[in-house]
Amino acid sequence: MTRHDLAVRARRAVTPEGERPVTVGVRDGRVVDVLVGDRAPLIARREITLAEDEVLLPGLVDTHVHVNEPGRTEWEGFASATGAAALGGVTTLLDMPLNSVPPTTTVAGLDAKRAAAEGKLAVDVGFWGGAVPENSRPGDTKELTALWERGVFGFKAFLSPSGVDEFGHLSPEELLTAAEAVGEFGGRIIVHAEDPAVLETAPPASGRDYADFLASRPDTAEHAAIARVIEVARRTGTGAHILHLSSASALPLIAQARADGVPLTVETCPHYLTLEAEAVPAGATQFKCCPPIRDSANRDLLWRALRDGLIDCVVSDHSPSTPDLKDLDTGDFGTAWGGVSGLQVGFAAVWTEARRRGVDLADVVRWMSSGPARVAGVRNKGAIRVGHDADFAVVAPEESFRVDVRALRHRNPVSPYDGADLVGRVRRTVLRGEDVGPSGAAGRMLLRD
């Protein structure tokens, strides 16, 4: 009998074939056997046997994380972000190209990012490139091609101001130019879809009342911008992805585009699925993000779209900053930085709400592991399958805990989940067959195949 490096025995495991008891054989960091039954005959140098209250999941894949290093490492960094990811069961993340300085809009920016990450990764990390006015002009898109050749997974674009000066937003003409260029080499463009003209005519955000901030980022801004992205994808044939969908009003538009064969995928985030505008306290700027957390009726429609397959995946959009930039002292939603910090607790937040709604754990795994891996093109991740990396999360799905923001691995103790009572504790995280902790450095930098 062939000897394995590791055997993982679980009475419950979420596999592509459904939830079942398995024995997983691992060799050289890859899954080489998935045998039915937790007592299947398999010889290994080392064994992990899950407790009766534990479930084996594939490592989660989070394709929307703002690590911010280099340049704004005081907001977050590779060591703290990947350490938080490991504690949350995330074994692979993709870093967004902005909020770091320089941004990942040039090869030089990508090289700076990789140099900053060296030796600091607790989990595997890949990189998105950025499409900005400087590299998305007609006849001058060579930097997009160069970034693609260096292994980025696709290109992020904003249609409205990003919040940082070094990452500009695209005009409609520049979006078309970028999409055409990205389509030439088979890439994907991922879009923060809010329409600047709608935002400019909306009432400005100011003060401590969350309703006033919500009015400053209306549903119509997302609807108009998503319509533009769909038209560009329809015209060019380039794959397009809608980032952090918060407004359910755009769902019929997305459904029609899908029916028409437009190459379009969609993500949403834990905060849109678990939080609601009606419950945001006055001055609680830790809840501010763009697009915003909307009301409970909107949240219900997002859950329905997930269950119907109209939304492809759930990712964190972890976008932290230092506490002073959140203006917690004044509680002014107009001036506070817009971004939710929740990388470490994203799975538990979603599972807590899913469980309340009668949604199966396998569905949550699909949305937070195989779905993001498929959408972003991250190969050999997101499933307990022969040939895939031996990345696992061992979860106690019925264990409850209260979030203490000061105990999270995130660099700064600011999160809307502080004090939340959640279920679904991650007890162990395994990367390529080895246990990984928050201070480990076994993660690798991933290139697009």
Side-chain angles (χ1 to χ4, degrees):
M1 184 175 295
T2 304
R3 189 177 183 87
H4 296 71
D5 299 327
L6 172 68
V8 183
R9 301 183 183 276
R11 294 188 179 183
R12 295 177 62 193
V14 176
T15 74
E17 294 74 30
E19 187 176 306
R20 58 181 183 166
V22 298
T23 299
V24 181
V26 176
R27 191 183 308 118
D28 297 328
R30 292 285 183 97
V31 175
V32 294
D33 281 303
V34 181
L35 306 178
V36 177
D38 62 315
R39 297 184 181 276
L42 193 151
I43 299 174
R45 285 191 289 270
R46 187 165 58 93
E47 289 201 358
I48 296 174
T49 301
L50 272 61
E52 290 190 9
D53 65 337
E54 294 176 339
V55 182
L56 184 69
L57 310 183
L60 305 179
V61 179
D62 191 339
T63 55
H64 195 148
V65 178
H66 294 268
V67 175
N68 304 330
E69 187 176 5
R72 292 190 174 97
T73 310
E74 69 275 14
W75 294 18
E76 194 67 278
F78 284 106
S80 55
T82 61
L87 289 170
V90 175
T91 52
T92 303
L93 65 83
L94 295 191
D95 174 53
M96 280 292 163
L98 75 155
N99 298 346
S100 56
V101 182
T104 316
T105 57
T106 64
V107 168
L110 177 61
D111 288 345
K113 181 84 74 166
R114 287 177 171 161
E118 192 69 41
K120 299 177 184 175
L121 305 183
V123 301
D124 288 353
V125 175
F127 303 97
W128 294 107
V132 292
E134 292 82 356
N135 62 22
S136 301
R137 299 188 179 107
D140 189 15
T141 59
K142 60 182 181 298
E143 203 70 55
L144 298 178
T145 303
L147 282 165
W148 182 254
E149 291 173 348
R150 293 292 294 274
V152 300
F153 283 80
F155 297 89
K156 181 173 186 176
F158 274 77
L159 302 189
S160 56
S162 70
V164 291
D165 292 339
E166 66 275 1
F167 200 100
H169 64 288
L170 300 184
S171 69
E173 295 77 17
E174 290 163 341
L175 175 65
L176 179 60
T177 297
E180 288 173 336
V182 170
E184 285 290 323
F185 48 71
R188 176 180 299 272
I189 191 160
I190 66 174
V191 186
H192 180 123
E194 289 183 286
D195 186 275
V198 175
L199 296 178
E200 287 171 6
T201 59
S206 64
R208 295 172 54 84
D209 191 341
Y210 185 76
D212 290 341
F213 168 65
L214 189 59
S216 76
R217 317 289 296 208
D219 294 271
T220 49
E222 280 191 85
H223 194 281
I226 289 170
R228 180 176 301 149
V229 174
I230 289 171
E231 182 53 37
V232 167
R234 189 191 305 273
R235 177 173 171 179
T236 63
T238 301
H241 179 68
I242 302 300
L243 297 166
H244 44 49
L245 179 72
S246 84
S247 175
S249 73
L251 290 169
L253 191 67
I254 292 166
Q256 186 59 58
R258 290 272 188 84
D260 293 343
V262 176
L264 184 73
T265 53
V266 182
E267 71 182 37
T268 193
C269 304
H271 39 283
Y272 302 132
L273 297 170
T274 64
L275 306 175
E276 59 185 14
E278 302 95 320
V280 176
T285 54
Q286 62 269 35
F287 289 83
K288 179 182 175 179
C289 56
C290 301
I293 296 161
R294 303 190 189 275
D295 62 30
S296 59
N298 180 89
R299 181 180 64 178
D300 290 343
L301 291 172
L302 293 179
W303 273 100
R304 181 184 300 175
L306 266 173
R307 299 184 76 167
D308 291 345
L310 192 55
I311 297 175
D312 298 271
C313 56
V314 178
V315 292
S316 70
D317 188 13
H318 179 69
S319 185
S321 70
T322 52
D324 60 300
L325 293 178
K326 292 298 279 186
D327 287 342
L328 297 169
D329 53 344
T330 65
D332 189 334
F333 281 101
T335 58
W337 172 258
V340 161
S341 182
L343 173 60
Q344 186 173 328
V345 296
F347 166 77
V350 174
W351 169 236
T352 300
E353 184 66 17
R355 180 172 171 268
R356 187 180 72 81
R357 292 172 179 265
V359 176
D360 290 341
L361 182 60
D363 291 325
V364 174
V365 171
R366 185 174 72 254
W367 299 331
M368 302 190 75
S369 189
S370 60
R374 173 182 56 82
V375 168
V378 184
R379 297 186 62 189
N380 301 321
K381 302 284 190 181
I384 301 173
R385 175 181 287 144
V386 172
H388 275 43
D389 287 352
D391 298 349
F392 311 120
V394 176
V395 173
E398 303 304 319
E399 183 178 347
S400 61
F401 65 98
R402 176 165 293 176
V403 177
D404 178 355
V405 72
R406 296 165 297 180
L408 298 178
R409 179 69 175 181
H410 306 160
R411 184 175 294 278
N412 292 291
V414 179
S415 176
Y417 296 107
D418 189 30
D421 292 313
L422 303 179
V423 294
R425 184 180 290 277
V426 177
R427 291 183 178 167
R428 190 171 195 168
T429 303
V430 177
L431 181 69
R432 286 186 299 278
E434 299 293 336
D435 285 289
V436 57
S439 301
R444 298 175 182 172
M445 284 181 263
L446 304 177
L447 299 176
R448 185 202 73 260
D449 290 328

